[in-house]
Amino acid sequence: MEKKTVLSCIQPTGNLHFGRYFGAIANWVQLQEEYDCFYGIVDYHAMTMPFSPKKLRENVWDLAFNLLACGLKKEHVFIQSLIPEHAELGWILNCFASYGQLTRMTQFKDKSAQSQEKSGEGFISAGLFGYPVLQAADILIYQASYVPVGKDQEQHLELSRNIATRFNHLMGKEFFVCPEPLYTEIPKVMSTADPNRKMSASLGEKHNIDLFADEARIRKQIRSAVTDTGDTPAGEMSPGVENLFSLLKASNHQEAHNSLMEDYNKGELKYVDLKQAVADALVSVSAPIRAKKQELLSNKKEVKNQIKASSAEIRKRAQQTVKEVKELTGLLNVRF
Ligand code: TRP
């Protein structure tokens, strides 16, 4: 039986921290066993917020190396702007996307506020508004059945489904596969500095632990993790302690997790022991990934060429879809 297609994408902004790793990338690595996978580094998306050209290019390559170091196979990784058909299909799909639905995207509301602040001149790009349509193009161009994403992408997925359905209906053909989200079970990783907020690059350095940080830094960040601020109701686990336990679990250090949980239940848990175990766990997850990155960096040129080659190969699929879309919509299909 033919394998079903999985697609997901990540923006080349911010660093790759444990929240992104446990919440997304580790799962993407697993999915490669079972599905036909496409993983995009979406640089067109990264232009929707104020950006620096130099940083954009640096971030794209850094993320490419990071993803390969985490275990994504190079054949599955592409850089969005090397496949300009994403933007082309994005335009066509704009004409099938509901303006009203776009105005209801909650992420736009959050991000436009960030953009106004970051730009220093209250600027919000039209690209930021249209961004979910480009995301729909990323998904539909490969006829993806499943899209592993976090809950924050639910509305965007719904828009992609609506676009696919409307296109199929108006063009009179069941052409686009209607994509389904694939939510991961991994618990949300919270900031160790403020366990009531999600671990995130945009909150600042102390709110995320970089997957590629050196061992001393990882240990230091865990040592200073907030545990109990004293405002948790009696009998409940504080968010900080809960977060440390879920980091242990996400790192697959189940034995340490269970024995420390027993201590906790007996009221005998020492936070230093928990922190020690979490630091050990994170260091053991990060060490082989860092080593792999070093190895890739020692062949920098070759690895970059491989990513370009895989993008060129993946582009063929995208070109085929756009060709068919042109036929269906009445646009000319001329090859010069
Ligand atoms: N919007 C996603 C995010 O901010 C990134 C993204 C772009 C994406 N295109 C996609 C995710 C296609 C899944 C599928 O995280």
Side-chain angles (χ1 to χ4, degrees), residues 41-52:
I41 297 173
V42 288
D43 45 358
Y44 284 144
H45 278 91
M47 305 174 81
T48 59
M49 294 287 277
F51 69 99
S52 121

Side-chain angles (χ1 to χ4, degrees), residues 299-315:
N299 289 314
K300 210 167 185 174
K301 203 157 171 210
E302 194 188 326
V303 174
K304 282 188 176 182
N305 283 336
Q306 287 171 337
I307 295 281
K308 289 181 203 163
S310 65
S311 301
E313 198 50 41
I314 290 172
R315 185 178 183 196

Side-chain angles (χ1 to χ4, degrees), residues 7-11 42 45 107 111 131 135 138-139 147 149 153 156:
L7 170 132
S8 201
C9 299
I10 180 165
Q11 291 199 52
V42 288
H45 278 91
Q107 201 188 54
K111 286 220 173 180
Y131 159 127
Q135 176 163 354
D138 299 336
I139 299 168
V147 186
V149 280
Q153 296 296 316
H156 292 167

Side-chain angles (χ1 to χ4, degrees), residues 9 76 105 119 232 275 332:
C9 299
H76 299 157
M105 295 288 148
S119 70
T232 308
K275 287 181 173 183
L332 298 187

Side-chain angles (χ1 to χ4, degrees), residues 240-292:
V241 173
E242 193 179 338
N243 190 38
L244 291 172
F245 273 111
S246 51
L247 283 169
L248 266 185
K249 207 168 176 179
S251 310
N252 259 329
H253 280 218
Q254 198 61 47
E255 248 174 63
H257 176 276
N258 294 351
S259 94
L260 289 158
M261 192 59 94
E262 254 175 55
D263 292 349
Y264 175 85
N265 288 332
K266 285 190 277 184
E268 291 170 4
L269 176 69
K270 294 203 196 73
Y271 293 146
V272 280
D273 295 342
L274 177 60
K275 287 181 173 183
Q276 177 73 38
V278 172
D280 290 345
L282 296 187
V283 166
S284 77
V285 168
S286 137
I289 297 177
R290 284 184 67 196
K292 179 82 188 156

